[in-house]
Amino acid sequence: MTDTDLKIDPQRAAALVSQIKTVRERIAAVANGRDVRLVAVSKLKPANDILALLQQASPPQLHFGENYAQELSQKAELLPRSIQWHFIGGLQSGHCKSLAKIPNLFSVSSIDTEKKAQLLDRYRGEYLSSLSSSSSSTTITSPSSPLPGKINIHIQVNTSGEPSKSGCAPGAATLSLCRTVAALPNLHLLGLMTIGAIARSVATTPETENEDFLCLREQRDLVAAELGLAPEELELSMGMSEDYEGAIVAGSSEVRVGSTLFGARGPKSEAKIKV
């Protein structure tokens, strides 16, 4: 299957392009010249929508986020390798092998245990070794399909302390996991991520402070000091459809926007990879 098998509905594409233009303008309005990565959260949305934003948005939208490992793997097989995939869902140990084999996997943003980090590192190393030893890797090393490398990692921090939320506890647990990831050869510690309390997100505006964002920034600064880095060398991934403008004002390097771009999602049982 290739992207040529996907049909793009002109009206749907026009709506998506208009919506992403608006989101980009709102990001630029509060970013004060900083380069803030927009991750279009495409979970449960068809590959046709992703292809429309890749081909028709200006500039092309390259970064897309998925919550389910199987859905991400299927879409990665179907869509062009120029897409930069982000796995942003709850990571299970059993997902690590399949995710590590996605060549254009840009990041995993939900690492919260050493075991998951070590498994992802192990499987990525095995995958890269298999590529380097393959005699049929000409397409892999072509300019349009570069050789895969390390996977970027955001450590997920449970800044709100909610039992239902994944993530490391702030403090010693976060510092320890960051040290582990920084030492693994096939992973790159990109920064920290949080999904804060819903009530705080809803109340967040560019003029108000969000306790989850402040906590993540403090944790980032502690980790940077521990690793001998400048704070700016570690990203903050925080902010979604409800609160991304406030997150950017608070220093976020990356925002994850889904429903504002793609519209409301239906039940997972009704989702289709392509339409």
Side-chain angles (χ1 to χ4, degrees):
M1 190 72 67
T2 68
D3 58 285
T4 57
D5 299 298
L6 296 173
K7 293 180 173 59
I8 297 175
D9 177 80
Q11 288 186 320
R12 174 64 172 166
L16 290 170
V17 168
S18 175
Q19 283 150 204
I20 203 165
K21 181 176 183 290
T22 298
V23 170
R24 287 172 171 174
E25 289 171 349
R26 290 172 65 180
I27 288 172
V30 293
N32 289 325
R34 289 192 302 114
D35 185 15
V36 177
R37 183 185 306 114
L38 169 60
V39 178
V41 179
S42 47
K43 69 174 182 178
L44 304 183
K45 293 298 180 178
N48 311 64
D49 281 359
I50 298 169
L51 188 63
L53 286 175
L54 176 69
Q55 293 185 342
Q56 299 190 23
S58 181
Q61 177 63 26
L62 299 178
H63 292 270
F64 291 88
E66 294 286 338
N67 284 58
Y68 306 111
Q70 183 178 8
E71 182 178 358
L72 173 50
S73 295
Q74 290 175 312
K75 288 177 176 176
E77 286 284 338
L78 190 62
L79 289 159
R81 281 275 298 276
S82 56
I83 290 173
Q84 301 291 293
W85 293 106
H86 297 240
F87 183 75
I88 60 176
L91 180 64
Q92 299 177 16
S93 297
H95 294 159
C96 292
K97 189 170 186 178
S98 62
L99 288 173
K101 292 181 178 181
I102 296 173
N104 50 329
L105 180 66
F106 178 84
S107 70
V108 173
S109 291
S110 50
I111 292 289
D112 57 1
T113 69
E114 290 188 4
K115 178 184 178 182
K116 294 172 188 176
Q118 289 164 347
L119 283 172
L120 193 63
D121 175 73
R122 170 190 158 191
Y123 290 128
R124 187 64 164 188
E126 291 176 357
Y127 173 62
L128 295 178
S129 293
S130 71
L131 291 181
S132 62
S133 62
S134 172
S135 59
S136 58
S137 60
T138 54
T139 57
I140 294 170
T141 56
S142 69
S144 62
S145 184
L147 186 70
K150 294 183 179 183
I151 299 172
N152 292 308
I153 298 296
H154 288 129
I155 301 300
Q156 184 171 355
V157 183
N158 186 354
T159 54
S160 62
E162 297 169 278
S164 60
K165 288 279 193 342
S166 300
C168 293
T174 294
L175 288 170
S176 176
L177 184 52
C178 286
R179 282 195 299 268
T180 295
V181 169
L184 292 171
N186 301 299
L187 305 182
H188 171 243
L189 179 62
L190 191 59
L192 306 181
M193 183 273 277
T194 191
I195 301 173
I198 293 176
R200 293 173 183 168
S201 293
V202 171
T204 297
T205 71
E207 293 76 33
T208 61
E209 291 188 333
N210 181 309
E211 291 177 44
D212 292 304
F213 299 161
L214 294 176
C215 179
L216 195 71
R217 194 169 64 200
E218 290 170 358
Q219 293 302 300
R220 188 273 311 273
D221 292 349
L222 288 172
V223 171
E226 175 78 11
L227 298 179
L229 302 172
E232 301 77 33
E233 293 181 76
L234 293 175
E235 288 189 354
L236 295 172
S237 177
M238 54 191 193
M240 298 184 288
S241 287
E242 292 282 357
D243 56 12
Y244 67 89
E245 290 163 295
I248 292 168
V249 171
S252 187
S253 316
E254 171 185 281
V255 293
R256 306 176 302 277
V257 180
S259 58
T260 298
L261 290 175
F262 294 102
R265 298 181 185 89
K268 184 179 179 182
S269 60
E270 296 178 8
K272 296 179 179 180
I273 296 296
K274 64 172 188 170
V275 294

